[in-house]
Amino acid sequence: MPLYNLTNRPRRLRRTSALRAMVQETQLTVNDLIYPVFVMEGENLKQEIVSMPDCYRYSLDLLIKEVKEAYDLGIKAIALFPLVTDDKKDNEGTESYNPNGLVQRTIKAIKAEVPEITIITDVALDPYSPFGHDGIVVDGEILNDETVAVLAKMAVSQAQAGADMVAPSDMMDGRIGVIREALDEEGFTHVGIIAYSAKYASAYYGPFRDALESAPKFGDKKTYQMDIANSREAITEVELDIAEGADMVMVKPALAYLDIIRQVRDYTNIPVVAYNVSGEYAMIKAAAEKGWIDEKKIVLETLTSMKRAGSDLILTYFAKQVALMLK
């Protein structure tokens, strides 16, 4: 006999797998996943990123095959990131809006082969800059307004190539409004904007910078990316981006910023995106390689936590793996 009368027994609803499924509050589905992919020049090239096991840079011909596989698994969207050769880099980022540039050619090729998939493009200067910064550099300072003018050109060029959504990741002030106006003026009112609104100056980005060889050549990114200690500022950034025309807002990174995802979710009804970044991916992969964790269970638990915190969509390098598990 119990020491006291238990009227409420929460374990009743945990007794069987069927009951647990019936009352599950948060469900992760393949529709929640955005697959980030890396493209490089060349043919028949597939290079593993050392700090991101099982992630690769692909030449365009092989990337198309990878995108087809992802789409066949039910993944509806990719986020495209280019490895730009050094000879194409300059301080003004002119290659970023070259109609025959790597990103533009990649968009066209993917749309020709997998027209139904949603292509999301990165809008930032760091892949195109010899300095590895997200803006034009003068005397060690990252210029804001001059950079925004280039970002608008980049976004229009990507839209002309067939991008469905552009995703400014640069954290320059006012860029969402300028990009929205530029897209609309060119007739691309249907092209959406995913704003990297709450993007923190995080140490979790290291493997990504390895992938694109885009680490800053001097200083850091703290004059434009957010202070890791701030939360109220995230709502300010989100509020400004929505007012300027953002269709979705993003929190990056995700795992150490679940509280920010929750605050943003409570603030707005537009879709909230979480970026499960390269450092989060690499830590799981490293621990799994050591045999310290069950990779599949940890991946599902981690992504579910991001959904539970309030994200609608998740950019994750685990997208294909998760799609297979859910399938």
Side-chain angles (χ1 to χ4, degrees), residues 235 238 242 249 263-272 312:
I235 301 304
V238 166
I242 293 173
V249 290
Q263 289 181 49
V264 173
R265 171 74 291 148
D266 290 342
Y267 171 77
T268 181
N269 288 323
I270 73 171
V272 176
D312 298 285

Side-chain angles (χ1 to χ4, degrees), residues 52 204-209 275-283 317:
M52 298 175 68
Y204 280 96
Y205 304 149
F208 177 92
R209 292 171 181 170
Y275 200 143
N276 177 212
V277 298
S278 60
E280 298 165 0
Y281 174 90
M283 290 193 301
Y317 303 98

